[in-house]
Amino acid sequence: RAQKALDKDDFDESPGGSGQLDEESGKGESLIRFLLGDPRFRTPMLALWIADAGGSLHMPMVMFFFMSLGAHPLDMGIFGFIMRCGSMVFSPIYGRCVDRFGIRTPLLVCLSFCGAGCIVRGCAQEIWHLYAAQLLMGAGGGSSWSMVKGFISKHVDAPRRSWLLAGLKLQMTVLTLSKVLYPALNAGLAFSLSLETQLAKYRAVITTCTVFCWAGVGL
């Protein structure tokens, strides 16, 4: 049924103007129906959506948190480099595991690493703790989207893959908009936990990322 929805809705041609806008909107909706309608894809996508939305919540303040622990611009550049290297190293490994064991176990490992990295980052007292957190997150969250995209693409016909990957990329971008909720989350945690210092508030917000990562494990 999900595949039929993909066939019917996603590749019908329509003229430009408002018709084209309606078509693009329909493609986005049918992609979500397709991903949620197939049991093979539903759990991995829900886990990714939850983890990605939660991981973006602390984006507005993470650099300030690094600086409060004494990190310099060079350190921040290295943090990003570690994440990218982790993704390049571990993505092929996860992909091989997905081919052999299916998506569930590799995704559980990936999200577990990501959640552990969030805890280490939130509890960090020194610079090397932040480096350790980046290593864990590079082995986890840095590889999650590429792993799931590869898994889903394997089950989609070749002519549809470019559309599928473009749609998933758009979803990744949209999910980062959850960062606009940072002020509300920061205020809510500060009030409920009676946090007074700015550093304590930073730690609380960052640690919530673990909840979202491990919520995907619970799925």
Side-chain angles (χ1 to χ4, degrees), residues 194-214:
S194 301
L195 302 175
E196 297 182 358
T197 67
Q198 189 60 56
L199 182 59
K201 296 175 184 178
Y202 287 161
R203 293 186 188 281
V205 173
I206 287 175
T207 308
T208 58
C209 179
T210 304
V211 176
F212 291 96
C213 288
W214 288 352

Side-chain angles (χ1 to χ4, degrees), residues 34-203:
F34 171 66
L35 295 173
L36 295 181
D38 194 315
R40 296 173 298 176
F41 309 147
R42 185 185 305 123
T43 297
M45 289 311 306
L46 286 174
L48 276 188
W49 289 337
I50 293 171
D52 228 41
S56 297
L57 287 171
H58 64 264
M59 286 176 61
M61 46 67 60
V62 68
M63 294 301 178
F64 297 104
F65 175 68
F66 291 161
M67 289 189 291
S68 69
L69 293 180
H72 299 288
L74 177 60
D75 294 306
M76 298 180 197
I78 296 175
F79 293 158
F81 177 74
I82 290 173
M83 284 287 290
R84 297 298 177 267
C85 287
S87 178
M88 288 190 292
V89 170
F90 284 95
S91 290
I93 297 174
Y94 282 125
R96 187 68 177 268
C97 291
V98 169
D99 290 338
R100 293 192 60 183
F101 307 112
I103 188 66
R104 183 173 179 80
T105 298
L107 185 60
L108 289 176
V109 173
C110 183
L111 294 177
S112 297
F113 273 125
C114 185
C118 290
I119 290 179
V120 173
R121 176 188 281 181
C123 298
Q125 301 294 327
E126 300 179 14
I127 293 294
W128 73 267
H129 295 156
L130 296 177
Y131 278 97
Q134 292 302 112
L135 288 171
L136 288 170
M137 297 177 76
S143 305
S144 56
W145 272 99
S146 58
M147 173 174 53
V148 174
K149 284 191 293 185
F151 170 73
I152 297 175
S153 297
K154 184 174 67 173
H155 298 282
V156 174
D157 294 340
R160 301 180 176 90
R161 286 176 187 161
S162 60
W163 172 85
L164 174 69
L165 295 176
L168 292 176
K169 179 63 177 178
L170 177 61
Q171 289 182 11
M172 292 172 62
T173 303
V174 171
L175 287 169
T176 63
L177 297 179
S178 66
K179 61 188 175 185
V180 302
L181 299 175
Y182 164 72
L185 177 63
N186 181 60
L189 290 173
F191 176 77
S192 60
L193 300 177
S194 301
L195 302 175
E196 297 182 358
T197 67
Q198 189 60 56
L199 182 59
K201 296 175 184 178
Y202 287 161
R203 293 186 188 281

